C-alpha cells in the first residue's frame, strides 16, 4: 500500500556532496512514524545511518556525524539525507525506511535503494 521512492544517488568524488530524497505515497508521515536511512555494502549487514522521529529528533551513526543530515517534511511526505564531505567508505546502497506503529506491533516499509558511489 505504501511505497517509498528514492532518488539522488550517483557517483561523486571524495569530499563532494549528494542529497538523497525519499518520497512516500499511499499515506502521510505522522508524528508516530520513524523515518530512517540505512546503507548496505555487498557482503555486509545493512546498517543504520540516521533516523528521525515525527517530533523532529534525529540520531546518527558515529561514522556520519557532522557530515550527514537527515530531515523530513511531513506535509510533503518526504525525507532527505544530505551527505557532505563524502568518503569512499560511504559507498553503498542507501535505503529509506519508514516504521509505523500498527496495533501492538509495527509495519516497516523499505525503499528500493539507491546506489551511492564515492571515488577516491
Amino acid at each position: 500500500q505504501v511505497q517509498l521512492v528514492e532518488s539522488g544517488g550517483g557517483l561523486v568524488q571524495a569530499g563532494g556532496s549528494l542529497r538523497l530524497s525519499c518520497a512516500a505515497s499511499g499515506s502521510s508521515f505522522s508524528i508516530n512514524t520513524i523515518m530512517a536511512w540505512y546503507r548496505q555494502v555487498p557482503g555486509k549487514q545493512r546498517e543504520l545511518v540516521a533516523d528521525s522521529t515525527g517530533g523532529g529528533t534525529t540520531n546518527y551513526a558515529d561514522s556520519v556525524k557532522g557530515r550527514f543530515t537527515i530531515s523530513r517534511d511531513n506535509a510533503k511526505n518526504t525525507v532527505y539525507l544530505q551527505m557532505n564531505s563524502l568518503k569512499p567508505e560511504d559507498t553503498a546502497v542507501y535505503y529509506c525506511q519508514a516504521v509505523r506503529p500498527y496495533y501492538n506491533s509495527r509495519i516497516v516499509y523499505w525503499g528500493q535503494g539507491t546506489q551511492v558511489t564515492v571515488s577516491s
Side-chain angles (χ1 to χ4, degrees), residues 40-56:
Q40 187 169 26
V41 177
K44 298 287 187 178
Q45 291 186 332
R46 191 171 300 183
E47 65 174 349
L48 176 66
V49 176
D51 62 51
S52 173
T53 69

Side-chain angles (χ1 to χ4, degrees), residues 24-42:
S25 63
S27 66
S28 299
F29 295 169
S30 73
I31 60 174
N32 294 323
T33 301
I34 299 175
M35 302 298 301
W37 287 95
Y38 284 74
R39 65 186 181 187
Q40 187 169 26
V41 177

Side-chain angles (χ1 to χ4, degrees), residues 49-63:
V49 176
D51 62 51
S52 173
T53 69
T57 59
T58 58
N59 296 286
Y60 298 92
D62 289 340
S63 60

Side-chain angles (χ1 to χ4, degrees), residues 17-109:
S17 299
L18 285 174
R19 190 189 192 192
L20 306 182
S21 299
C22 173
S25 63
S27 66
S28 299
F29 295 169
S30 73
I31 60 174
N32 294 323
T33 301
I34 299 175
M35 302 298 301
W37 287 95
Y38 284 74
R39 65 186 181 187
Q40 187 169 26
V41 177
K44 298 287 187 178
Q45 291 186 332
R46 191 171 300 183
E47 65 174 349
L48 176 66
V49 176
D51 62 51
S52 173
T53 69
T57 59
T58 58
N59 296 286
Y60 298 92
D62 289 340
S63 60
V64 306
K65 285 182 178 178
R67 300 188 298 119
F68 291 10
T69 302
I70 186 173
S71 61
R72 60 193 288 172
D73 188 332
N74 290 334
K76 296 181 178 180
N77 297 323
T78 303
V79 63
Y80 306 93
L81 184 67
Q82 179 66 46
M83 305 184 294
N84 299 325
S85 302
L86 283 163
K87 305 175 181 179
E89 306 93 274
D90 297 318
T91 296
V93 177
Y94 284 72
Y95 297 90
C96 176
Q97 181 200 63
V99 180
R100 179 174 65 85
Y102 185 75
Y103 292 97
N104 297 121
S105 186
R106 64 178 187 170
I107 299 178
V108 180
Y109 303 95

